[in-house]
Amino acid sequence: MHELFGRDEERGRLQSLLKRGRTGMSGALVLRGAPGVGKSALLDHVQGAAGGSHQILRFDAVDSEAELGYAALHHLLAPHLFRLPGLPLPQRNALGRVFGLQDHSAPPDRLLVGVAALGLLTTAAAEQPLLCLVDDAQWLDEESAVALGFVARRMYAESLTMVFAVREGIESAPALRGLPSLLVDTLPARYATQLLEAVVDGALDTEVRDRIVSATTGNPLALIEAVRELSPAQLSGVSPLPDPVPLGQAIEDLYVRETLTLPAGARALLLAAAADPTGDPNVLWRAGVLLDYDADAAAPAEEQNLLTIRDRVTFRHPLIRAAVYHAAPTALRVRTHAVLADVAGDLGDTDLRAWHLASAATHPDDAVAMELEAAAHRTLSRGGWAAASTLLARSAALTTDLPSRARRPSQPAAVVAAKGDRATAARRRVREWWTRCAA
């Protein structure tokens, strides 16, 4: 488990709940936040902090069981089912039907199920404070959510503590609305930097570090997954970073799932928006002529709040852009970049055209390599030393002639030598990387 950097407020709220539970008072809290922001880590933290002072009940909901009535309640209450005979008869019968212990030809009364669940949990908490944790509560089945929401609203002096984690932006678990909640936000840059440095086992270049922090917007899971996806050479600055920075399968799946139900045109539009770094709607609409989507394709994506198209194309979260891009099949990415290269050329942006051509290349291509080399020199003239290093490295990779391949990465050395430490670092990264390639 990684240290919880920058979570003092959240830990304080959770510690306060535990303290109330130890002194005979109940409390509930709903942690809300984006995927990967650290809600599960906070549940792990409060579970560990409870130590031996609390009984622990935990349920990690999954979407595959969202349609199974009372699935979560089964899991949470099963360890205390032996207390069922101590409940009043109507409550006992209602919960007995839920667990299939009695005739269930008629559905159990939801109110009685909630009252019975409250009775069972408070009886257990009377013996020892009880901590109930529910992760991914947006996937709770409706019946369990109603019962648990009922319990959370009516407990008071029973030494019962309930903490739910809910993914922000998903319209589910309405039974938990109105309960005390806390937004778990992304980490500020300094804490994200601390986390990144803690999980990297080896050299970490400062420019690479800052770019990963920026690309992941301080999302803890994205930071950790990015480190797993990137090579030691990329982390140390020897090899260039991909764009977008990869997220890793764990968090990519969380975001890609939101796109799976979209029509083909909307998915094509999302990929084009993800592949285009300019965010220019004009580029998007021009590309649509060749990528088989039009303005109407944007409606489903905007309705799901995946992106908005106004003066600029903006994804709801930068991680959605990265997830859409990396989850797309290679052939689709290649085609999309090829079309965007044509659009960039039509608009007179030769540097962007070269970048897209390189991203579309599936084998060495001297013509594209020459365009990248020219783009690198233009970038150097604007002071973009690190960007020029990346462009020249890609240019060399696409070059078939070995002498030219060896020459291109070292060309900017004389130009950048007088530009200070950052320029020297950029030159060093290019030379070291291509020394390895030549070997």
Side-chain angles (χ1 to χ4, degrees), residues 118-371:
L118 177 62
L120 216 61
L121 291 174
T122 55
T123 301
E127 298 177 3
Q128 183 183 6
L130 179 62
L131 174 63
C132 178
L133 304 171
V134 179
D135 201 0
D136 280 324
Q138 72 276 357
W139 301 128
L140 281 174
D141 62 274
E142 182 183 352
E143 293 81 3
S144 294
V146 169
L148 293 173
F150 180 93
V151 172
R153 286 185 178 85
R154 283 158 181 80
M155 60 188 187
Y156 176 63
E158 291 87 9
S159 294
L160 176 58
T161 303
M162 303 184 76
V163 184
F164 303 88
V166 178
R167 190 183 306 172
E168 192 73 357
I170 291 186
E171 289 297 323
S172 59
L176 303 182
R177 292 175 192 158
L179 291 173
S181 66
L182 178 63
L183 177 64
V184 183
D185 209 344
T186 53
L187 294 174
R190 69 186 181 104
Y191 293 117
T193 298
Q194 289 176 8
L195 174 60
L196 185 59
E197 291 173 341
V199 298
V200 171
D201 184 17
L204 178 62
D205 180 78
T206 55
E207 289 186 29
V208 171
R209 179 200 66 195
D210 293 344
R211 183 177 165 193
I212 294 173
V213 169
S214 175
T216 58
T217 65
N219 182 292
L221 180 59
L223 281 166
I224 293 168
E225 291 291 321
V227 170
R228 292 174 180 165
E229 291 285 324
L230 297 171
S231 69
Q234 288 170 324
L235 291 169
S236 64
V238 174
S239 299
L241 288 179
D243 181 44
V245 171
L247 301 180
Q249 200 64 44
I251 195 165
E252 182 178 292
D253 289 346
L254 293 175
Y255 282 106
V256 169
R257 188 179 298 171
E258 297 185 47
T259 71
L260 294 180
T261 59
L262 293 175
R267 295 198 302 272
L269 180 146
L270 280 174
L271 178 56
D276 171 42
T278 70
D280 184 350
N282 187 34
V283 171
L284 199 61
W285 303 135
R286 284 174 175 256
V289 176
L290 295 175
L291 292 174
D292 305 320
Y293 65 81
D294 55 22
D296 291 338
E302 289 192 302
E303 287 171 3
Q304 286 194 211
N305 194 28
L306 294 169
L307 84 174
T308 56
I309 304 174
R310 299 292 184 270
D311 294 337
R312 292 186 59 77
V313 181
T314 307
F315 282 89
R316 183 186 84 226
H317 196 288
L319 297 182
I320 297 177
R321 177 195 171 218
V324 167
Y325 184 84
H326 289 295
T330 301
L332 286 181
R333 288 205 303 268
V334 167
R335 181 183 178 221
T336 300
H337 278 295
V339 169
L340 289 170
D342 289 341
V343 171
D346 292 342
L347 294 174
D349 193 334
T350 53
D351 290 355
L352 186 60
R353 166 185 157 80
W355 184 81
H356 280 303
L357 285 175
S359 298
T362 57
H363 56 274
D365 187 320
D366 287 320
V368 175
M370 290 179 65
E371 290 198 40

Side-chain angles (χ1 to χ4, degrees), residues 28 55 60 62 68 109 119 173 231 254 274 276 293 322 335 354 358 373 435:
Q55 305 174 69
D60 296 346
V62 292
L68 301 179
D109 183 280
S231 69
L254 293 175
D276 171 42
Y293 65 81
R335 181 183 178 221
E373 182 179 13
T435 297

Side-chain angles (χ1 to χ4, degrees), residues 96-108:
R97 288 181 179 179
V98 167
F99 279 88
L101 302 176
Q102 297 182 9
D103 172 53
H104 55 276
S105 55

